[in-house]
Amino acid sequence: MNYLQPIQEAISNGIAALYQLEIPADEIRFDPTPPEFEGEYTYVVFPLLKASKKNPMQTAEELGQYLLEHQNSVARFNVVKGFLNISFKSDFWTSILYQLRTEQPWLSPARSGKKIVLEYCGPNTNKPLHLGHIRNMLLGYSISKIQAAAGNDVHRVNIYNDRGIAICKSMVAYQRKGNNATPTTTGTKGDHFVGHYYVTYSNLLDEEVRTLMAGGMSKEEAEKKAPVYLEAVRMLQQWEAGDPGTLELWQTMNGWVYEGFNQTFERLGVDFEKDYLESEHFSKGRDLVLKGLEKGYFFRKDDGSVWVDLTDKGLDEKVLLRSDGTSVYITQDIGVAHQRYLDYHMDVSAYVVANEQDYHFKVLKLVLEKLGEPYADGIHHLSYGMVDLPEGKMKSREGTVVDADDLMDEMEASSRSFLEQSDKQLDFSEAEKTTLYRQVGLAALKYFILRVDPKKRILFNPTESIDLQGNTGPFIQYTYARIKSVLSKLSDEPGGKMAAPDKDELDLIVTLSRYYATIQDASENWSPAEIANYIYTLARQFNKFYADHSVLHADTPEQKQLRIHLAHTTGAVLGHGLDLLGIEAPERM
RNA sequence: GGCCCCGUAGCUCAGUGGAUAGAGCAUCUGCCUUCUAAGCAGAUGGUCACACGUUCGAAUCGUGUCGGGGUCACCA
């Protein structure tokens, strides 16, 4: 919904009429006028100088004059150097505001008809989720909402890395030290319960390695010969051989993990339409690779391993099948990608995966292209930066991993203590308070993560709590709640004509009119940060307006009507924008 | 070493070729007897890592240098 299209057309026509230069209307760049100048939108005339053969001032004056004569909505203009600042008539803006409120165009985007399958989260099932997963999940969920809001048909899926040596390590440790304990008997969340045995494994390994090293063995050798490691390897072989006892233990422990994960997903507010299990697909890619080998896309080395040569694409040779014929990581991804296409026939297959796998996804896409898979072109790696601590990467062995559940606990606690320390009096029941602390704490966390450009790394300092004031999620929630509060006190609307907006009111309308385009941009760039920055700007402008404009006690009915439209539309956009970020908007706070 | 990403205020971040580079946090000053002070107004704070180039114009594009991170496994 581009409200400025008529103006762009008028400028385009003006340029053609004055200088015989054809610029399509939708290529007319048109930027909001900076606050220190008069006007709402600015057109830069420098690119026209060659055609106009006049200086910037004269060119801008001419074009401005043309607009004034040919475009009814233009009230006046001013020229500063090569900048043509255009002021529109008040009723141009108030009619846009009226349309925004009544039509809410962001709710009915043009249908793109594109089907997107978006995979995110992708956890291993041997330990609980951490802050890295949180960034992944928040990005994945928010992007899916944004793509849907931009008119795409979106399907959220998860992939579980539910097999392999890692889970076997937890299983071995559990066999040795578990004493048939369960999450229920110990009162432990399932994923943490299993994660505990992963730590137990590390401790057992350290002990045994120390013992072996005391006997004169090198560290590398000891790590390969430690009984607990050999047991884990044997466990993996038994799993692959389909040993019933091993499979049963595996299933039981994974079941506990899923139960724990589901609690975290629900609490964080994310969901999945379909789960893919690596254990069900890890061998399927092999057929595709062998088919590719037959057709000569790949080659076999003397030891029997299968490779793809990507040196012509500036990459390396990559192994696709081990010499013993078993699958490697990328082989599984080929299998899962194929299965996903059978399931969905999607146009775009997006993967939310950290940027440490940039290379992997380049290879995956090229391999699928070589295989002639119809969906290869639609592979999109949504690569995001990792979450770092002040001292660097999170390391589970050093216990510096920020646990997802702990972090959510802390955020709730900090929003609780914030509200308890304020002198705010809200007649909330205990249950309502609990809900509010959860909503506000999560909002702070989610906004903190989502407001930064996905491709940039995030620095998280565990000793400093995430802010609740300023450029934060709660700030936007608060603005929304204020608006709801005002509107709830409104007995009736005057209806009819709106007063001419003043500067603050105009700023709000201009910003509101850009929401639809902001969603399109965020969708094209796969960036929730663009939504976050937009709603922050909008909330800030509203609070500025709110500070010295009364809605309920406006001077005239026309003024009141204008402000009601403003409050209403701003509330709707803030609520919608928060929803795109996966953030709940409490009616009161 | 090859390839990829990043470098903007003390800190965390915006800024997709346009005007005198903006926010929040932190520090300091004001504003609750009027719709919620998780707010508003103001002050302080910049060699946009550095150099050269492209052009009317560069934080933004190109090349190079420096610094940080990632990756280049028959690990996942």
Side-chain angles (χ1 to χ4, degrees):
Chain A
M1 192 63 50
N2 181 1
Y3 299 96
L4 298 171
Q5 178 130 21
I7 314 296
Q8 289 173 305
E9 275 165 17
I11 294 178
S12 175
N13 293 339
I15 292 167
L18 295 169
Y19 312 123
Q20 292 76 49
L21 190 64
E22 297 295 334
I23 303 177
D26 57 1
E27 283 173 27
I28 297 287
R29 284 219 34 170
F30 214 27
D31 301 308
T33 305
E36 59 269 32
F37 300 101
E38 199 204 334
E40 293 92 51
Y41 274 94
T42 295
Y43 182 72
V44 183
V45 302
F46 289 110
L48 305 180
L49 301 185
K50 274 198 183 109
S52 76
K53 300 190 178 67
K54 291 181 178 146
N55 71 37
M57 286 280 281
Q58 289 170 326
T59 309
E61 283 286 347
E62 269 181 1
L63 191 56
Q65 199 56 43
Y66 180 93
L67 285 178
L68 204 52
E69 283 160 16
H70 292 82
Q71 191 63 34
N72 196 28
S73 53
V74 172
R76 59 192 174 277
F77 69 93
N78 66 84
V79 173
V80 182
K81 294 188 268 180
F83 299 91
L84 172 60
N85 301 321
I86 303 166
S87 301
F88 295 88
K89 290 179 182 166
S90 290
D91 58 4
F92 171 77
W93 288 116
T94 53
S95 81
I96 285 179
L97 176 60
Y98 183 78
Q99 284 177 64
L100 287 168
R101 176 177 174 185
T102 52
E103 292 166 16
Q104 303 205 39
W106 52 88
L107 295 180
S108 40
R111 305 298 311 170
S112 74
K114 243 199 279 175
K115 186 189 263 194
I116 300 177
V117 175
L118 184 125
E119 173 195 293
Y120 69 110
C121 192
N124 294 334
T125 57
N126 64 312
K127 50 179 185 277
L129 303 164
H130 57 68
L131 183 50
H133 294 109
I134 286 192
R135 185 175 197 190
N136 182 307
M137 290 189 276
L138 296 180
L139 269 176
Y141 186 79
S142 177
I143 275 295
S144 77
K145 303 273 277 192
I146 289 166
Q147 294 300 0
N152 300 302
D153 175 22
V154 185
H155 301 266
R156 291 187 287 274
V157 303
N158 198 355
I159 175 121
Y160 291 95
N161 301 302
D162 62 339
R163 61 168 281 279
I165 192 72
I167 181 69
C168 288
K169 289 176 179 176
S170 289
M171 285 157 66
V172 164
Y174 179 74
Q175 275 188 332
R176 282 215 205 168
K177 300 281 184 185
N179 294 319
N180 295 317
T182 69
T184 314
T185 62
T186 55
T188 314
K189 193 161 163 286
D191 51 334
H192 289 264
F193 182 85
V194 172
H196 167 75
Y197 287 99
Y198 191 68
V199 175
T200 303
Y201 170 86
S202 295
N203 295 337
L204 288 169
L205 182 68
D206 285 348
E207 262 174 52
E208 295 180 0
V209 166
R210 261 200 306 276
T211 310
L212 291 171
M213 283 168 71
M217 211 177 261
S218 76
K219 194 178 180 200
E220 291 72 36
E221 195 183 358
E223 280 171 351
K224 291 257 151 59
K225 295 243 168 99
V228 73
Y229 173 73
L230 295 176
E231 278 174 55
V233 171
R234 199 173 317 127
M235 184 79 83
L236 182 61
Q237 288 163 350
Q238 283 171 338
W239 184 91
E240 297 204 354
D243 173 62
T246 305
L247 286 176
E248 196 190 334
L249 177 61
W250 172 73
Q251 230 141 23
T252 302
M253 291 184 76
N254 271 344
W256 291 334
V257 170
Y258 293 138
E259 216 169 283
F261 281 174
N262 285 336
Q263 288 172 30
T264 305
F265 296 155
E266 194 181 341
R267 187 176 180 193
L268 194 62
V270 302
D271 56 36
F272 306 93
E273 175 180 308
K274 189 172 174 62
D275 293 336
Y276 287 87
L277 302 181
E278 186 187 286
S279 57
E280 288 177 2
H281 300 288
F282 80 104
S283 60
K284 284 186 189 162
R286 185 166 36 200
D287 301 339
L288 287 159
V289 170
L290 290 174
K291 209 178 286 172
L293 181 65
E294 251 172 55
K295 295 191 175 167
Y297 305 144
F298 310 135
F299 67 96
R300 200 189 277 278
K301 288 195 178 174
D302 292 342
D303 61 5
S305 56
V306 177
W307 293 73
V308 60
D309 181 2
L310 297 172
T311 47
D312 58 327
K313 307 277 184 188
L315 305 182
D316 304 297
E317 293 180 352
K318 290 292 292 183
V319 68
L320 300 177
L321 287 177
R322 294 192 183 99
S323 48
D324 64 4
T326 58
S327 303
V328 293
Y329 180 54
I330 194 159
T331 328
Q332 299 156 182
D333 271 3
I334 293 167
V336 176
H338 187 77
Q339 182 61 44
R340 183 168 304 160
Y341 186 68
L342 296 181
D343 291 342
Y344 285 101
H345 286 87
M346 65 280 175
D347 304 294
V348 175
S349 190
Y351 297 78
V352 183
V353 177
N355 60 15
E356 60 185 348
Q357 294 198 36
D358 285 356
Y359 185 79
H360 170 76
F361 277 99
K362 271 185 200 162
V363 173
L364 179 65
K365 187 165 179 158
L366 289 172
V367 168
L368 291 171
E369 275 170 15
K370 273 191 192 280
L371 285 169
E373 294 288 286
Y375 51 88
D377 217 30
I379 296 278
H380 183 262
H381 176 205
L382 176 52
S383 164
Y384 64 91
M386 316 253 270
V387 182
D388 286 332
L389 304 174
E391 57 274 14
K393 277 180 87 163
M394 292 189 279
K395 293 188 181 112
S396 47
R397 281 188 74 95
E398 292 171 20
T400 56
V401 172
V402 178
D403 179 77
D405 299 309
D406 291 349
L407 184 56
M408 287 192 274
D409 286 344
E410 281 166 31
M411 290 313 301
E412 282 182 30
S414 104
S415 76
R416 172 188 296 269
S417 71
F418 182 91
L419 190 60
E420 281 169 353
Q421 278 166 32
S422 81
D423 50 3
K424 189 173 281 202
Q425 282 148 14
L426 289 173
D427 50 338
F428 278 12
S429 69
E430 279 310 309
E432 286 170 322
K433 280 185 191 169
T434 303
T435 303
L436 186 65
Y437 301 143
R438 184 181 63 76
Q439 290 174 324
V440 172
L442 273 178
L445 174 61
K446 291 181 177 186
Y447 187 89
F448 174 80
I449 300 281
L450 291 175
R451 64 179 268 244
V452 333
D453 183 342
K455 70 173 182 259
K456 294 193 178 172
R457 65 184 206 123
I458 283 183
L459 187 74
F460 177 79
N461 189 340
T463 62
E464 293 171 11
S465 54
I466 294 173
D467 285 327
L468 302 171
Q469 294 174 74
N471 187 356
T472 67
F475 170 85
I476 295 160
Q477 288 178 315
Y478 174 73
T479 310
Y480 177 85
R482 270 180 149 182
I483 292 170
K484 287 293 160 181
S485 172
V486 171
L487 293 176
S488 72
K489 293 191 169 109
L490 193 67
S491 45
D492 62 325
E493 279 190 47
K497 214 172 142 20
M498 284 178 255
D502 71 8
K503 180 74 177 134
D504 288 344
E505 293 162 333
L506 211 48
D507 284 346
L508 265 177
I509 300 174
V510 173
T511 301
L512 288 168
S513 73
R514 284 173 33 221
Y515 184 52
Y516 186 91
T518 301
I519 295 174
Q520 302 303 317
D521 289 346
S523 158
E524 276 170 38
N525 298 326
W526 299 77
S527 174
E530 296 188 16
I531 300 292
N533 287 320
Y534 171 86
I535 57 176
Y536 173 64
T537 301
L538 179 61
R540 207 154 45 93
Q541 282 179 353
F542 186 86
N543 282 319
K544 183 181 166 67
F545 155 82
Y546 181 93
D548 39 36
H549 299 70
S550 178
V551 177
L552 300 178
H553 307 106
D555 292 339
T556 66
E558 290 79 14
Q559 211 171 53
K560 187 171 179 178
Q561 185 57 58
L562 169 71
R563 294 177 186 174
I564 291 169
H565 283 312
L566 277 173
H568 212 282
T569 310
T570 304
V573 170
L574 289 179
H576 190 260
L578 284 172
D579 184 58
L580 292 185
L581 300 181
I583 296 176
E584 292 179 47
E587 301 287 302
R588 296 192 303 158
M589 69 180 274

